[in-house]
Amino acid sequence: MCGILGIVSHSPVNQLLYDGLLVLQHRGQDAAGIVTAEGNTFHMHKANGLVRDVFRTRDMRNLLGNAGIGHVRYPTAGNAASSAEAQPFYVNSPFGIVLGHNGNLTNVDQLKEDLFRLDLRHVNTSSDSEVLLNVLAHELVEVGNSQRLSPERIFKAVSGVHRRCKGAYAVVAMIAGHGLLAFRDTYGIRPLIIGSRQSAEGMEYMVASESVAIDALDFKIMRDVAPGEAVYIDEAGQFHSMQCAQQTKYYPCIFEYVYLARPDSVIDGVSVYESRLRMGESLAEKIRRDWSHLPIDVVIPIPDTSRPSALQLANQLGLAYREGFIKNRYIGRTFIMPGQAMRKKSVRQKLNAISIEFKGKNVLLVDDSIVRGTTSREIVQMARDAGARQVFFASAAPPVRFPNVYGIDMPTRQELLATGRNDAEIAREIGADALIYQDIAALVDAVRELNPALQHFDASCFNGEYVTGDITEEYLALIESLRCNPGRKDVNGMDTLQLDLNLVAGGRGG
């Protein structure tokens, strides 16, 4: 999971890109980067850290130009400390291209070999985003090395990317002297939305991972980028779009609605906030049907993502809703922190219990999901330490039993608490007196009811069904074995422990 942003304006875009990345900061806290275009010249600044720390006044002054792209990256398995893998990436041929990517390529080993042996291109990092950039660059060469690229030729190059690349990808790129290009994978797994606004000089456009960035920058939502579609805004500010894939299917990632996206975003026509309210409603129905014997006194959310679900659950059951945890705003999201020890340590730093809301009460804690279980276990213990008589736990999502290979850091089954355990065993693991999970059918309905055009979703981390059709047991086993067996080299002599874990498990692409 990463955040991407692209803007074409009639005035300097450096401040717009900075403000947009601040709004998308929840999608990545590990690194940030901005590239602006001034004629044929790119200006770039990127580094590890939060947006507010990466960009200083002197950096912003150097980001000249009326078009640009930005990226925020989140840490995953592997070398998260490498500033060389901060995005956007740059390649100087043809024309000069910069690219930012959210997602993960699942055939990256084959792509790297093809780039090295057939396309004669060198990839210098372990990032699938750099691989994707070089595939795009090669396809642009293939469609013709004329001085000017027509929109038709650019879209033909994107068609070549779709033919070669498998997995999930939402992309923003700039071609020097030409314009801004954005496209989405043929399943629409990772989100991408277009906005526009009218200025005195003419229309201005932006693309972003979430609609909240469009709202914050005072643009108006046009529509989502369709699966397999590409949009191109040329230097003159003309907007072009084309379907660039022969076969497409709509399978947006359902975990965006559960956890990843901000509640004030609209993704693929669905309000994230409203979908979470509906998750709370269906969870309340399950409790009323199957768990009515639980003596629940109060419903308490685990901030922040679960608040809408917890509030609606409490309303539906006629129970008191209380805020029992205070969140330290200066601690990052524990789900995307590298290392189990760091995640465990951060929970107590991140949350503090209000004892009066727990003392002597039977408490139902509501969270958006349970992944590794570290946070859940610590929070249940915090509730008990604060004086709770009984602690029940509800998850607005089903059990996470499978790795996500489309850009979310769920690298191995061994790290997932629900893998190989039933609900009672999971409850014991986190120390809860009872555990209620959302049913997967109810989760899908909660989202689909808000946009019936969405008939299918990528819910692979819940059901193990990988929509791209290329994920095998051998593939998943390879990911897990590489964690324990470092040192395997790829065709370029690079360490594929870093390569495969970073790329296959969400990677530097985000």
Side-chain angles (χ1 to χ4, degrees):
M1 182 186 74
C2 294
I4 59 174
L5 184 67
I7 300 176
V8 176
S9 179
H10 295 285
S11 58
V13 294
N14 51 356
Q15 188 66 51
L16 286 173
L17 289 166
Y18 177 87
D19 292 343
L21 290 184
L22 283 177
V23 174
L24 296 175
Q25 185 76 86
H26 63 286
R27 298 189 69 88
Q29 304 156 20
D30 181 44
I34 289 175
V35 177
T36 57
E38 184 186 23
N40 293 333
T41 302
F42 288 143
H43 303 283
M44 178 188 291
H45 182 73
K46 61 180 183 177
N48 284 355
L50 298 173
V51 174
R52 70 184 183 212
D53 299 321
V54 168
F55 299 100
R56 303 296 184 183
T57 301
R58 62 181 178 273
D59 305 317
M60 297 297 291
R61 286 178 181 148
N62 294 329
L63 294 171
L64 305 174
N66 296 349
I69 63 174
H71 186 275
V72 286
R73 183 188 79 188
Y74 87 130
T76 58
N79 189 13
S82 173
S83 59
E85 295 186 3
Q87 295 187 44
F89 282 109
Y90 166 76
V91 68
N92 66 356
S93 175
F95 307 106
I97 309 170
V98 288
L99 178 144
H101 163 222
N102 173 32
N104 172 60
L105 303 182
T106 55
N107 64 331
V108 69
D109 273 346
Q110 184 61 52
L111 288 172
K112 287 196 71 169
E113 184 171 356
D114 291 346
L115 285 169
F116 186 73
R117 299 193 184 280
L118 303 178
D119 300 349
L120 305 181
R121 286 184 169 271
H122 178 253
V123 177
N124 199 49
T125 71
S126 59
S127 173
D128 62 339
S129 301
E130 191 184 11
V131 171
L132 183 55
L133 169 60
N134 277 273
V135 172
L136 174 62
H138 178 78
E139 293 301 318
L140 286 169
V141 171
E142 290 294 292
V143 299
N145 250 331
S146 62
Q147 290 185 344
R148 295 296 303 176
L149 281 171
S150 66
E152 291 74 23
R153 285 184 172 181
I154 291 172
F155 292 144
K156 185 176 180 181
V158 174
S159 296
V161 173
H162 288 324
R163 285 194 302 271
R164 296 179 64 178
C165 294
K166 297 179 181 179
Y169 48 92
V171 173
V172 290
M174 284 192 300
I175 306 170
H178 287 78
L180 185 143
L181 171 67
F183 55 93
R184 193 176 182 189
D185 69 74
T186 58
Y187 290 87
I189 298 172
R190 301 265 70 87
L192 193 62
I193 191 167
I194 316 165
S196 65
R197 70 181 182 186
Q198 181 72 48
S199 72
E201 293 81 13
M203 291 298 296
E204 299 177 334
Y205 296 94
M206 72 176 293
V207 290
S209 292
E210 293 184 32
S211 66
V212 64
I214 293 174
D215 297 335
L217 300 186
D218 201 28
F219 283 69
K220 301 298 182 185
I221 294 173
M222 290 174 59
R223 59 180 175 83
D224 295 280
V225 178
E229 184 187 18
V231 299
Y232 172 61
I233 301 99
D234 61 31
E235 277 194 315
Q238 297 298 307
F239 181 90
H240 311 267
S241 66
M242 181 177 288
Q243 176 53 252
C244 297
Q246 291 184 347
Q247 293 184 328
T248 63
K249 299 178 181 179
Y250 223 147
Y251 277 81
C253 174
I254 204 162
F255 209 70
E256 291 279 354
Y257 303 97
V258 170
Y259 173 80
L260 300 180
R262 270 182 45 159
D264 45 344
S265 285
V266 177
I267 294 179
D268 291 311
V270 173
S271 162
V272 174
Y273 177 77
E274 192 172 356
S275 73
R276 290 175 184 170
L277 289 177
R278 289 177 179 257
M279 291 174 204
E281 290 176 7
S282 57
L283 201 53
E285 290 175 8
K286 182 172 184 178
I287 292 174
R288 187 183 292 113
R289 182 183 67 243
D290 301 332
W291 298 86
S292 58
H293 60 281
L294 294 181
I296 303 169
D297 297 319
V298 62
V299 176
I300 293 178
I302 298 171
D304 287 316
T305 320
S306 66
R307 279 197 175 106
S309 297
L311 178 61
Q312 196 72 343
L313 184 154
N315 288 338
Q316 292 290 309
L317 295 180
L319 295 170
Y321 171 89
R322 293 288 186 271
E323 293 286 343
F325 295 102
I326 298 300
K327 183 178 180 181
N328 182 347
R329 301 292 174 182
Y330 302 97
I331 298 292
R333 299 176 96 173
T334 54
F335 171 77
I336 56 178
M337 282 185 172
Q340 194 81 343
M342 185 180 295
R343 276 188 292 271
K344 184 173 181 178
K345 179 181 178 183
S346 73
V347 174
R348 296 270 179 167
Q349 296 173 338
K350 179 179 177 180
L351 295 177
N352 191 44
I354 303 174
S355 297
I356 193 173
E357 297 296 353
F358 294 91
K359 192 171 183 180
K361 298 178 182 178
N362 299 322
V363 177
L364 175 64
L365 302 179
V366 180
D367 206 352
D368 53 80
S369 58
I370 303 171
V371 182
R372 295 172 178 89
T374 307
T375 300
S376 304
R377 188 180 303 114
E378 287 290 308
I379 288 174
V380 169
Q381 188 57 51
M382 288 172 65
R384 294 196 188 282
D385 293 344
R389 200 163 51 230
Q390 292 188 81
V391 181
F392 314 121
F393 203 101
S395 168
V400 178
R401 301 189 189 277
F402 302 92
N404 182 287
V405 299
Y406 299 129
I408 306 174
D409 184 22
M410 297 177 191
T412 69
R413 287 162 286 193
Q414 288 83 348
E415 291 182 274
L416 300 174
L417 181 64
T419 302
R421 295 185 177 94
N422 59 34
D423 291 2
E425 291 168 335
I426 298 169
R428 284 196 295 271
E429 285 290 325
I430 66 173
D433 295 295
L435 172 64
I436 304 101
Y437 272 115
Q438 184 86 266
D439 295 326
I440 190 165
L443 174 62
V444 169
D445 286 344
V447 181
R448 185 164 50 201
E449 286 173 1
L450 299 173
N451 182 4
L454 299 178
Q455 290 298 305
H456 307 283
F457 298 89
D458 167 52
S460 53
C461 59
F462 304 124
N463 59 19
E465 298 173 7
Y466 296 96
V467 299
T468 54
D470 59 332
I471 306 303
T472 63
E473 175 61 32
E474 291 74 20
Y475 182 91
L476 297 177
L478 176 62
I479 302 172
E480 295 165 353
S481 69
L482 287 172
R483 279 186 168 254
C484 304
N485 298 284
R488 198 193 80 175
K489 304 293 181 180
D490 72 359
V491 292
N492 295 318
M494 295 184 67
D495 187 342
T496 52
L497 169 66
Q498 189 179 88
L499 170 71
D500 286 320
L501 285 181
N502 287 345
L503 309 187
V504 175
R508 304 276 62 84

